[in-house]
Amino acid sequence: MRVCHVVNVLSDTTMAGDLAVKQAEMGDVDRIDFGCWRGCDTSLTHDDVHVHDLTHGNTTRLEKIRTLKRLVAESDVVHVHHTISGAVATLLSNLHRTPVVVTEHNSHRGYKTTRLIVNNATGRFADRVVCVSDSVKDSFAPWEQKLIGKNKLQTIYNGVEIDRVERAKNIDWSIHNQVEIDPEAVIVSSAGMLIEQKAQHILIDAVDEANKTAETPIELVISGSGPRKEELQAQIDDSDFSDRMHLLGFLPRREQVYKMMHESDIYAMPSRWEGFCVAALEAMAAKTGCVFSNIEAFTPFSDVASIHDRGSSKMLAEKICGLAENESKRMSLSDEAKKLVKNKYSLESTAKSYLKEYCHIDND
């Protein structure tokens, strides 16, 4: 079987890249092509995974389409992951009668109308629409389910490469070399785009509040970039404990994010909504005590993490203090969290589930 993954941009943090390499390692797919509509800034380390930067050598959009058309025509299954590239690849696949799998990575409740229209048009012409969690699947409005076809909707949870997370402990990089952190402090970390969805402003308020009552100093490190960077930095500057809160910026290597998690005592995600956050799995795989908002996407983790009301910085501060001052509870939660990831959310399990879908639609 030959599979073609299509993304907007391939980077070191692209989940589809990890999935493609794992599929190749398992040996059930003969060849995997990877079409990158807007380019790529990383490589995939497997001889059977072939990355095609569609911006390289294609000076016009028509030339990009022709190159992608060739990849689609040579494939048995096309697997698309992002809105624009997914729409183009699905249209081309339909022309060649090549089966298409669409992965929906985020909740539709946060999408603007134009994106909903494009996504649902793509889903309409796909053979499978795979949601990365039940919460993503449940976010489809009745009209979307009717347009796409409810029988097309499946759930395959994202997975994490646990060994890769573990190996990152030993890389030559540290948050302590990036910012000044009190060696006696409890470290809280968070990773993600600096956007409204991730609600880092709630976390900043919570850590500021927690420092007012905690016996031990609490330091916050946030990795990521995005349109709210200046706003969040201004919020930090106006905080009472501004010297204990740090924006690290975008970390280009995923191993750096993993190392940040390993060096942290607590990992927090106060998200307003999520599809199914791989970073949450990675933090649990790193055995970091986790605090999550009580949104539907984090429901599967409610027994292995501390949960706070969405939007409540006061409750988040209480949860952070509770874990900061109770190491045994923190360790107990993190031990159970890693077991959960290992047993239910491995990348190998995700790859096997997708292969099953490929074979099913290829035989239809």
Side-chain angles (χ1 to χ4, degrees):
M1 177 182 289
R2 182 167 174 171
V3 176
C4 180
H5 288 270
V6 181
V7 297
N8 287 350
V9 177
L10 174 64
S11 71
D12 190 51
T13 60
T14 304
M15 171 63 187
D18 296 335
L19 176 63
V21 171
K22 178 55 67 175
Q23 289 172 331
E25 288 175 351
M26 291 168 61
D28 295 314
V29 178
D30 300 318
R31 176 186 169 109
I32 297 175
D33 290 291
F34 215 101
C36 310
W37 183 251
R38 293 176 181 163
C40 64
D41 55 21
T42 190
S43 59
L44 298 179
T45 55
H46 197 284
D47 291 341
D48 293 328
V49 181
H50 305 269
V51 177
H52 305 267
D53 183 348
L54 300 182
T55 65
H56 183 70
N58 296 318
T59 57
T60 67
R61 184 169 297 177
L62 182 59
E63 289 175 334
K64 288 169 64 176
I65 291 174
R66 285 173 177 164
T67 302
L68 183 57
K69 184 174 182 288
R70 175 180 58 80
L71 292 175
V72 164
E74 294 171 350
S75 301
D76 297 303
V77 175
V78 173
H79 188 163
V80 305
H81 298 267
H82 299 143
T83 302
I84 300 302
S85 57
V88 176
T90 299
L91 176 61
L92 295 174
S93 298
N94 273 252
L95 293 175
H96 287 280
R97 299 184 182 277
T98 305
V100 178
V101 174
V102 175
T103 293
E104 288 283 355
H105 291 274
N106 211 336
S107 170
H108 278 207
R109 296 187 182 100
Y111 285 177
K112 295 181 179 179
T113 302
T114 51
R115 186 170 182 180
L116 282 175
I117 292 171
V118 175
N119 274 43
N120 282 283
T122 301
R124 172 72 176 178
F125 292 101
D127 296 86
R128 287 288 186 280
V129 176
V130 175
C131 303
V132 297
S133 69
D134 286 335
S135 66
V136 171
K137 188 177 178 181
D138 292 342
S139 74
F140 281 67
W143 70 267
E144 295 179 275
Q145 296 180 27
K146 185 175 182 179
L147 177 65
I148 292 171
K150 196 171 183 179
N151 61 322
K152 287 185 186 178
L153 292 171
Q154 306 287 339
T155 297
I156 297 177
Y157 283 94
N158 279 337
V160 61
E161 184 66 85
I162 298 172
D163 289 343
R164 184 182 178 189
V165 175
E166 191 66 24
R167 290 193 301 270
K169 281 183 180 179
N170 302 316
I171 68 168
D172 186 21
W173 184 92
S174 172
I175 56 174
H176 297 278
N177 295 330
Q178 311 303 312
V179 292
E180 186 175 345
I181 296 176
D182 185 336
E184 302 299 320
V186 169
I187 300 174
V188 179
S189 66
S190 189
M193 290 286 291
L194 307 184
I195 54 178
E196 179 188 3
Q197 174 185 350
K198 302 298 183 180
Q200 288 98 346
H201 66 287
I202 298 294
L203 180 56
I204 291 169
D205 280 344
V207 171
D208 198 45
E209 185 67 27
N211 271 297
K212 295 175 183 177
T213 58
E215 296 179 2
T216 305
I218 299 173
E219 300 249 5
L220 172 64
V221 289
I222 298 174
S223 71
S225 60
R228 300 192 74 191
K229 181 179 179 180
E230 291 184 5
E231 177 186 343
L232 294 173
Q233 186 60 61
Q235 181 185 357
I236 289 173
D237 293 341
D238 289 340
S239 299
D240 292 333
F241 294 89
S242 58
D243 60 326
R244 297 181 183 177
M245 292 184 273
H246 319 276
L247 298 182
L248 297 180
F250 175 69
L251 300 180
R253 293 176 55 209
R254 198 65 189 170
E255 280 76 10
Q256 293 171 331
V257 177
Y258 298 160
K259 184 67 175 289
M260 178 188 75
M261 292 170 174
H262 282 300
E263 293 181 327
S264 303
D265 301 290
I266 299 168
Y267 184 83
M269 292 203 72
S271 306
R272 296 183 61 199
W273 70 87
E274 289 284 353
F276 186 73
C277 188
V278 174
L281 293 180
E282 292 164 341
M284 291 190 289
K287 288 187 66 175
T288 308
C290 291
V291 184
F292 301 137
S293 57
N294 64 342
I295 59 175
E296 187 178 356
F298 293 144
T299 300
F301 313 140
S302 59
D303 292 334
V304 297
S306 188
I307 305 296
H308 69 91
D309 290 345
R310 182 182 66 172
S312 174
S313 58
K314 181 179 179 181
M315 189 173 181
L316 176 54
E318 292 171 356
K319 297 293 184 179
I320 289 173
C321 283
L323 290 183
E325 296 171 358
N326 191 336
E327 184 178 2
S328 62
K329 180 180 179 181
R330 202 165 67 229
M331 296 305 295
S332 176
L333 284 175
S334 62
D335 285 342
E336 292 303 312
K338 185 166 185 177
K339 289 177 185 176
L340 178 66
V341 173
K342 186 175 182 179
N343 293 334
K344 192 172 181 180
Y345 299 108
S346 70
L347 187 59
E348 182 175 350
S349 176
T350 302
K352 286 180 179 178
S353 296
Y354 273 112
L355 178 64
K356 184 177 179 180
E357 291 299 325
Y358 296 164
C359 293
H360 192 272
I361 62 175
D362 190 40
N363 291 329
D364 283 351

